Amino acid sequence: MENTYLSFEDAKLLYPDEWLLLGNPVKEEFTLLGGILLYHSKDKKEVCYLGRDKTEGFERIKLVFTGKSKGMRKM
């Protein structure tokens, strides 16, 4: 994958319901704006294990999900 910045809004459109590993994430207050996409998959464990080799050279990394939390329920 290329080391280009991807906004989180674009990432949600390109990779719906997937786990993303982002390098040098950009945040504003408590909102994730984006980062450099290092790896993505629907399988969280795959991102954690296969993506870790792609994190070298980055100051920070972040693992995020682009879908809705399965633990959230309507009350």
Side-chain angles (χ1 to χ4, degrees):
M1 283 185 197
E2 292 181 29
N3 284 345
T4 47
Y5 177 85
L6 181 64
S7 75
F8 189 54
E9 291 301 315
D10 286 344
K12 289 191 288 187
L13 294 172
L14 292 169
Y15 308 104
D17 299 319
E18 288 197 31
W19 290 94
L20 309 179
L21 184 63
L22 298 176
N24 295 339
V26 177
K27 290 173 44 177
E28 185 176 274
E29 293 290 321
F30 300 106
T31 304
L32 176 64
L33 300 177
I36 298 170
L37 181 63
L38 304 176
Y39 199 84
H40 68 93
S41 174
K42 292 201 179 275
D43 185 341
K44 183 179 181 180
K45 288 182 182 179
E46 179 182 334
V47 174
C48 291
Y49 291 116
L50 297 180
R52 74 175 155 205
D53 293 339
K54 301 175 185 334
T55 62
E56 188 176 331
F58 291 92
E59 293 178 26
R60 297 176 323 273
I61 59 168
K62 184 158 186 76
L63 178 67
V64 294
F65 186 62
T66 60
K68 293 183 180 181
S69 175
K70 294 179 182 180
M72 301 293 288
R73 288 186 267 167
K74 291 185 179 180
M75 300 196 133

